[in-house]
Amino acid sequence: MKTLFINIKKLIQVEDNARKWLAGKEMANLSFIENAFLLIEDEFIKDFGPMTEIPDFNEDETIVEVDVSGRMILPSFCDSHTHLVYSGSREIEYVDKIKGLSYEEIAKRGGGILNSSNRLHIASEEELYQNAMERIREIANFGTGAVEIKSGYGLSTEDELKMLRVIKKLKETTPLEIKATFLGAHAVPANYKGRQYEYVDLVINEMIPKVAEEKLADYIDVFCDKGFFTVDETDRILKAGEKHGLTGKIHANELDYSGGIQVGVKYNALSVDHLEFVGDTEIESLLKSNTMPTILPGAAFFLNMPLSPVRKMMDAGLPIALASDYNPGSSPSGNMKFIMSLGCINYKMTPEEVINATTINSAYAMGIEKTHGSICRGKVANLYVTTEIDNYEFIPYAYTSNLIEKVMLRGEFI
Ligand code: NIG
Ligand code: FE
C-alpha cells in the first residue's frame, strides 16, 4: 500500500540520515523542502523531495494520492515524559494552589501523588486502560505519535505492576509508539511514612526484579528532589535498575539543586527532566554526557515555578528536549503544540528550536531517534498535515488553535 502526498507547501524536519540530536546552535536550524512530495509505503517513509523530482510509478501500482496544496507536513511529536495512566483528576488541589498552597504543602497533607495513588488503588485495570486510552486518542489528534508513560501512582508492588500492565496493553492496542518507565520511587507511600529507607529497599529488592522479570518497563525513573528521594537513594535505585537492564530517565532539579542531574549522568541516564534549578556545575556535567536535558514547560507554567535557564544551556552547547509531563497534578494537558508555544513565549526559544526540541530531540529522550522524530527514509510514517497556513511560525504563535487537519500513524490516517 502506497500513499503519495503531493503539492506540500513545506515538508518540515527532513533529513537524509537520522541524526542523534541537535545541540546548541544547531537547534536553530530546521530543514524543509518547499513544494514537496512525500511517499509512504506500508508503515514507513519511502521517499520525499521537491515536486519536480517526483518518481515515475508503474501504471498498475495502487497509489493513494493526497493533494495537500497550501498545507504543511511535519513529523509527529514525540512526547518523552508523561504520567497519563491515572485515575481521577485533581482540580480541588488546583483550587488550593490558587488560594496559595504550594505543591510541597499539598503533598505533605496527603494530597498530590498520594491522592492519585489512593485512587489508582481502587481503580480496575480495565478502567485505567479505558481512561488512558481516551487521553491517548486526545493527544494523537493533537499531533503526538510517540509517548513515554510512567508508572508511579501505584507505590506498592502490586499496584505498580498493575499500572505497567495497563501501559503494556496500551502499547499493544494503539498505533502510537509507547515506551514504559517504572517510577516506583515517585513518592513514599503513607504506610511507609518515616520508613523511607525501607520503601527504597522494597523498590530495589522486590519491585525492580519483578518489573524486569515480566519485561514491563523500558526505563527506570526516580523523583530525585528536595522532600522526595535523595541522591544516595537515587544512586542505589539506578544501580539496581542498571543490573536489570533498565536505563534511567529521571525527575531532577525541579524543586532545588538536588544533585539529580549529576547522579543521572553518572548512570548514563537517557534523560534528566524538569531542570528548573540548573547552574554551571550541572551544565558541565551534562556537556560530558549522552543524557538529554528535558524541560517540561507545562508543569512550570501550571505550578508557577521558576523557569529553567534554557537559553544558557543551549548557549553552552547542550541539546534540549521538551515534553508535556501530562499528569493530574502538575500538568493536566498533553498538548505538545501548546508546549511549543510555552517554549517560545516563556523560554524565548525560536519556532525552529521548539520544533527540534519536540521531534528529533524528544525522540532521543525516549530512545527512538533511529525510527521516529523526523521525515527520513526508512523511519516510521508518523506525521500530521496542517490546515492552510502561510508560515510554520504560525503553529506555536496561534497557541490555542488546533491547526491539524490530518494525522497519519504507521502509514495510516487515524
Ligand atoms: O513530573 N514531579 C514529580 N512528578 C510529577 C507530578 C505528579 C503528580 O503531581 O501527580 C511531575 O510533575
Ligand atoms: Fe513527571
Side-chain angles (χ1 to χ4, degrees):
M1 161 81 180
K2 285 184 177 162
T3 306
L4 177 68
F5 292 97
I6 56 166
N7 299 321
I8 307 164
K9 183 172 179 146
K10 268 184 193 159
L11 177 61
I12 293 176
Q13 192 64 298
V14 290
E15 52 182 3
D16 286 325
N17 298 302
R19 287 165 290 177
K20 171 183 171 182
W21 66 28
L22 296 168
K25 284 193 174 54
E26 286 170 355
M27 283 196 69
N29 304 330
L30 182 66
S31 34
F32 57 82
I33 302 175
E34 279 178 288
N35 196 20
F37 79 89
L38 171 64
L39 179 65
I40 309 299
E41 185 172 26
D42 301 325
E43 60 181 277
F44 300 106
I45 295 169
K46 177 83 177 158
D47 201 5
F48 59 83
M51 279 300 286
T52 48
E53 290 172 21
I54 209 159
D56 292 329
F57 296 101
N58 295 334
E59 284 201 353
D60 51 346
E61 262 187 291
T62 336
I63 297 173
V64 179
E65 202 174 87
V66 186
D67 188 336
V68 294
S69 299
R71 292 152 177 85
M72 304 193 185
I73 290 184
L74 290 94
S76 299
F77 297 114
C78 298
D79 190 350
S80 62
H81 180 137
T82 81
H83 311 245
L84 68 70
V85 172
Y86 60 84
S87 175
S89 44
R90 305 218 306 259
E91 60 276 21
I92 304 306
E93 293 173 12
Y94 169 70
V95 177
D96 288 342
K97 252 173 252 150
I98 293 169
K99 292 183 177 161
L101 286 191
S102 73
Y103 185 75
E104 286 156 294
E105 282 163 341
I106 290 171
K108 278 208 187 98
R109 294 199 323 186
I113 296 167
L114 295 189
N115 181 358
S116 288
S117 168
N118 290 336
R119 297 210 205 173
L120 184 122
H121 180 64
I122 51 179
S124 71
E125 233 169 277
E126 180 58 23
E127 241 174 280
L128 289 170
Y129 169 76
Q130 292 299 345
N131 291 340
M133 198 59 168
E134 242 169 72
R135 293 177 198 122
I136 297 245
R137 277 191 214 108
E138 182 197 24
I139 63 171
N141 287 315
F142 287 150
T144 295
V147 62
E148 180 257 18
I149 311 173
K150 300 172 192 297
S151 68
Y153 293 127
L155 309 182
S156 70
T157 307
E158 195 187 324
D159 288 347
E160 282 297 308
L161 294 176
K162 173 165 92 173
M163 278 192 86
L164 289 168
R165 275 192 218 106
V166 172
I167 301 173
K168 184 173 179 210
K169 189 162 168 205
L170 292 168
K171 273 192 193 193
E172 292 162 355
T173 51
T174 75
L176 281 90
E177 181 69 18
I178 295 180
K179 292 287 179 192
T181 300
F182 165 63
L183 174 54
H186 196 191
V188 177
N191 55 333
Y192 276 84
K193 201 166 174 217
R195 297 187 295 134
Q196 177 149 338
Y197 193 85
E198 284 175 48
Y199 183 65
V200 173
D201 279 349
L202 181 79
V203 170
I204 292 173
N205 299 327
E206 190 173 291
M207 293 189 194
I208 293 176
K210 285 221 167 111
V211 168
E213 187 188 307
E214 290 193 37
K215 296 196 172 40
L216 287 172
D218 302 292
Y219 305 116
I220 185 164
D221 193 346
V222 179
F223 188 4
C224 180
D225 228 317
K226 191 172 83 185
F228 289 84
F229 293 89
T230 65
V231 168
D232 283 349
E233 290 163 342
T234 307
D235 191 297
R236 289 176 59 215
I237 293 169
L238 291 180
K239 191 182 283 171
E242 193 175 58
K243 242 178 54 199
H244 286 88
L246 297 170
T247 304
K249 265 181 72 58
I250 73 168
H251 283 76
N253 298 49
E254 174 186 4
L255 308 170
D256 203 353
Y257 292 93
S258 66
I261 293 177
Q262 291 89 328
V263 69
V265 166
K266 175 177 169 196
Y267 283 96
N268 212 5
L270 196 51
S271 72
V272 285
D273 303 22
H274 273 292
L275 314 189
E276 275 71 16
F277 292 86
V278 171
D280 294 339
T281 320
E282 286 76 14
I283 290 178
E284 277 312 307
S285 155
L286 284 164
L287 278 171
K288 291 187 222 118
S289 79
N290 282 311
T291 300
M292 176 62 71
T294 300
I295 312 303
L296 310 171
F301 166 71
F302 192 80
L303 299 179
N304 263 317
M305 282 189 299
L307 299 177
S308 174
V310 166
R311 179 60 57 197
K312 182 172 170 180
M313 293 164 81
M314 288 193 299
D315 283 348
L318 286 173
I320 295 287
L322 300 180
S324 76
D325 199 14
Y326 195 175
N327 77 75
S330 67
S331 187
S333 164
N335 187 331
M336 287 293 281
K337 178 175 166 294
F338 182 57
I339 294 299
M340 288 205 300
S341 300
L342 289 177
C344 293
I345 297 163
N346 287 343
Y347 298 83
K348 310 283 180 253
M349 295 172 80
T350 63
E352 293 79 10
E353 287 167 343
V354 293
I355 293 173
N356 285 324
T358 52
T359 55
I360 292 188
N361 284 2
S362 53
Y364 178 90
M366 56 188 291
I368 58 168
E369 75 283 3
K370 294 197 171 77
T371 50
H372 294 76
S374 70
I375 303 294
C376 178
R377 290 174 193 86
K379 279 197 177 184
V380 175
N382 278 8
L383 54 91
Y384 63 90
V385 181
T386 66
T387 53
E388 284 193 52
I389 55 174
D390 287 336
N391 305 299
Y392 62 74
E393 289 87 341
F394 188 75
I395 303 173
Y397 157 84
Y399 72 100
T400 59
S401 310
N402 183 7
L403 304 174
I404 296 180
E405 203 169 85
K406 282 193 180 73
V407 170
M408 175 177 264
L409 294 178
R410 295 185 200 246
E412 287 189 20
F413 291 110
I414 63 162

